[in-house]
Amino acid sequence: MKKIILAVMCMLTLISCNQQQPKTMDNQVINNILTRVSVRQFTGEPLTQAQVDTLLRAAMAAPSAVNKQPWAFVVISDKQIIDRIGAELPNTRCQNNAPLAIVLCGDLDKALEGAGRDFWVQDVAAATENLLLAAHSMGLGAVWTGMYPTPRAAQVQEMLGLPENIVPLAIVPVGYPAEQPAVKQKYNESLIHYNKW
């Protein structure tokens, strides 16, 4: 029954997307990008290890400066930990029946030295977006909740016992969606400049 509901929800998303996006978007990758939405309510149905592995492989396929790959991932499936994160950090949406949360972190020991040190933020952000797009392509829902550079990063470090060199950039709860937010049309031609401002 859950698979039927999920299939119907996916069809409704595509119908909604087709009403809001140009009809020429038949490329699967482009369509996946244009129809991804933030999902904040979950059914609670657990993910398989194969699904988790696919999400992590997609995240680690992201580009990184000088191919340093300065990231680390904490996969949380323990309900007590997820509930604690949700209680202490309600904006993470972990309290909304998420069966899984992935904490995407920067490993400062792998970061570039000198002026390029903060490129780890861009690298882990790219991994986060890859994870979100992979989740959407798999019929899952997810939402990016930022931690760094706010005090919440230190709170998550303490909560999860992260070493000092591991800095949480984002927490992404993932699961089967219990809601189907409308696809937003975000294209704005006024924000585009060619060759000069």
Side-chain angles (χ1 to χ4, degrees):
M1 184 64 175
K2 288 181 182 177
K3 289 183 180 179
I4 293 172
I5 292 171
L6 182 61
V8 170
M9 290 171 68
C10 288
M11 286 175 52
L12 291 174
T13 299
L14 290 173
I15 290 168
S16 172
C17 175
N18 287 337
Q19 292 171 351
Q20 297 178 28
Q21 301 293 343
K23 298 290 185 197
T24 57
M25 296 300 168
D26 57 356
N27 180 297
Q28 288 181 344
V29 173
I30 298 298
N31 190 56
N32 190 59
I33 292 169
L34 294 178
T35 60
R36 190 211 64 80
V37 293
S38 294
V39 173
R40 297 173 173 86
Q41 300 286 339
F42 306 93
T43 66
E45 181 180 345
L47 276 63
T48 66
Q49 188 59 50
Q51 288 172 309
V52 175
D53 290 344
T54 298
L55 292 170
L56 294 170
R57 286 177 182 276
M60 290 186 222
S64 66
V66 197
N67 197 30
K68 286 296 231 176
Q69 302 174 35
W71 42 57
F73 306 87
V74 181
V75 179
I76 304 171
S77 58
D78 184 311
K79 183 83 169 100
Q80 288 185 329
I81 299 173
I82 291 174
D83 287 346
R84 181 180 174 202
I85 292 171
E88 294 187 25
L89 299 165
N91 289 339
T92 62
R93 311 298 178 177
C94 287
Q95 75 276 31
N96 294 354
N97 218 15
L100 185 86
I102 298 176
V103 184
L104 295 99
C105 306
D107 183 342
L108 300 185
D109 287 349
K110 295 181 183 176
L112 289 168
E113 297 295 331
R117 184 153 178 84
D118 285 340
F119 280 152
W120 74 264
V121 175
Q122 296 178 40
D123 299 339
V124 179
T128 305
E129 181 67 5
N130 272 17
L131 189 147
L132 293 172
L133 291 170
H136 178 54
S137 76
M138 296 162 63
L140 301 171
V143 61
W144 179 331
T145 61
M147 296 294 112
Y148 180 86
T150 72
R152 292 177 293 196
Q155 194 174 349
V156 172
Q157 274 182 309
E158 185 276 326
M159 200 182 304
L160 300 178
L162 303 179
E164 190 174 316
N165 63 300
I166 303 297
V167 181
L169 181 84
I171 297 178
V172 177
V174 185
Y176 287 94
E179 63 174 353
Q180 196 56 56
V183 175
K184 297 175 184 173
Q185 169 57 273
K186 297 180 180 180
Y187 180 78
N188 184 344
E189 195 169 351
S190 71
L191 303 177
I192 302 168
H193 308 275
Y194 290 97
N195 299 319
K196 62 181 182 178
W197 189 261

